[in-house]
Amino acid sequence: MSASDHHRRISVPLGRPDPSDPLREETFELVLFYKDEKLRSHAVKHLTNLRESETTWKILSPDERGIVTGAILKLQELGCPYFSAAASVPPCEYGVSSCRLYPACSRITGDLEAVYLRALTGFVMESVKVPRYARFFSDRDGNTALAFMPNRPVVVKASLMEENIYNILTCYGAVGMSFAEMRDQQVEMIRNEARGRTITLCDERTWGVEAQSEDEPREGGTGERDAAAKSAKRKSKAGRFRGGGAHWRRFLDESE
């Protein structure tokens, strides 16, 4: 199945393109987990994580919470290795080849996956509305990547499959950290993962990076105004992103 024909492909409108915005696409085309096994594994891993539920899954309705609770009980009764053997990753990530219970598990996890997909889609839409998303070339994956972060401690990540079609790789919530802490963590992760001069951030303010004025204090200025301007300029570590990845890289270099 091609990415363009995938049954979990969605179009995410970015609004009217802004000529000054480095991300000028009208939409992002996303496949919500190309492989069914990956979707199931991530739904089980993250929705059943009680520590993530404290920060991320509060958005679930009472009915959705009931689905999660019911799935946990049924998976435990089934003998799911993720619960019985305390595996770090649900073995359904590799399908029936890694878990003999995969076919039986399918009867339990369908509703759980639907809850995860609804939440994930909502997070992406909220991120675009804020806006707070980033695109960069990942040296780790050898591919172009997207990162979405709404106004809550949760991250959605995707990787390019075909031209302007990205595959969602994960959606997870913070564990033991605030929204601001997780946002700053994502900035650092992007910094470490991205190839230089490939980062496009939308937009710098919502990522916690304030735009720095390009105006220098005028020569011959006197009084507190120029002194305050110079002081603020020294304190500011922010770079400008409209000019491209070089400015983002400068910000990161200066922050060390």
Side-chain angles (χ1 to χ4, degrees):
M1 180 189 304
S2 69
S4 59
D5 296 329
H6 200 282
H7 62 287
R8 284 194 296 271
R9 176 183 170 183
I10 64 171
S11 295
V12 180
L14 301 182
R16 179 175 296 177
D18 181 351
S20 68
D21 194 326
L23 288 174
R24 295 187 178 90
E25 294 92 339
E26 295 186 6
T27 65
F28 278 139
E29 302 296 319
L30 304 177
V31 173
L32 306 182
F33 291 96
Y34 183 80
K35 294 184 177 180
D36 295 342
E37 298 88 345
K38 293 287 187 180
L39 168 59
R40 183 177 306 181
S41 177
H42 282 266
V44 171
K45 177 180 179 179
H46 296 295
L47 280 181
T48 65
N49 186 325
L50 298 180
R51 297 186 67 191
E52 283 189 42
S53 68
E54 295 174 359
T55 56
T56 302
W57 309 118
K58 290 180 179 179
I59 66 163
L60 299 184
S61 69
D63 288 344
E64 289 173 326
R65 288 178 178 271
I67 290 172
V68 173
T69 301
I72 292 174
L73 293 174
K74 291 177 182 177
L75 288 171
Q76 288 175 329
E77 292 172 357
L78 183 65
C80 171
Y82 185 61
F83 297 97
S84 62
S88 59
V89 177
C92 46
E93 180 174 3
Y94 299 104
V96 70
S97 64
S98 65
C99 184
R100 62 180 177 80
L101 298 176
Y102 188 87
C105 169
S106 301
R107 299 193 295 269
I108 299 173
T109 55
D111 289 342
L112 190 72
E113 293 166 11
V115 170
Y116 188 63
L117 289 175
R118 283 196 297 271
L120 184 161
T121 302
F123 293 148
V124 170
M125 296 299 184
E126 183 181 329
S127 300
V128 169
K129 185 177 179 180
V130 173
R132 189 184 296 108
Y133 49 94
R135 182 175 60 194
F136 56 96
F137 187 89
S138 169
D139 271 334
R140 185 193 66 186
D141 299 331
N143 202 4
T144 301
L146 294 176
F148 299 91
M149 191 170 182
N151 284 333
R152 62 187 82 242
V154 61
V155 171
V156 180
K157 294 187 176 182
S159 184
L160 186 66
M161 295 184 69
E162 299 175 9
E163 185 176 358
N164 200 38
I165 302 179
Y166 294 80
N167 178 38
I168 295 292
L169 301 178
T170 189
C171 169
Y172 63 92
V175 174
M177 67 177 67
S178 67
F179 161 76
E181 289 170 333
M182 190 175 193
R183 181 196 61 196
D184 293 346
Q185 181 192 70
Q186 293 307 307
V187 169
E188 184 67 16
M189 289 175 67
I190 291 172
R191 171 193 179 183
N192 292 333
E193 185 178 336
R195 183 171 297 177
R197 300 178 182 270
T198 67
I199 301 171
T200 309
L201 204 67
C202 185
D203 73 30
E204 61 269 26
R205 293 171 296 109
T206 59
W207 280 100
V209 181
E210 296 180 0
Q212 178 179 322
S213 173
E214 295 178 348
D215 296 330
E216 296 286 347
R218 289 174 296 181
E219 289 187 11
T222 59
E224 297 180 357
R225 178 182 300 177
D226 285 348
K230 291 179 181 179
S231 176
K233 190 174 183 66
R234 284 196 301 269
K235 291 180 181 178
S236 174
K237 294 181 180 180
R240 294 177 61 85
F241 295 87
R242 294 301 185 191
H247 299 289
W248 169 243
R249 177 57 55 187
R250 185 178 66 212
F251 160 70
L252 295 172
D253 291 341
E254 290 174 356
S255 69
E256 291 182 339

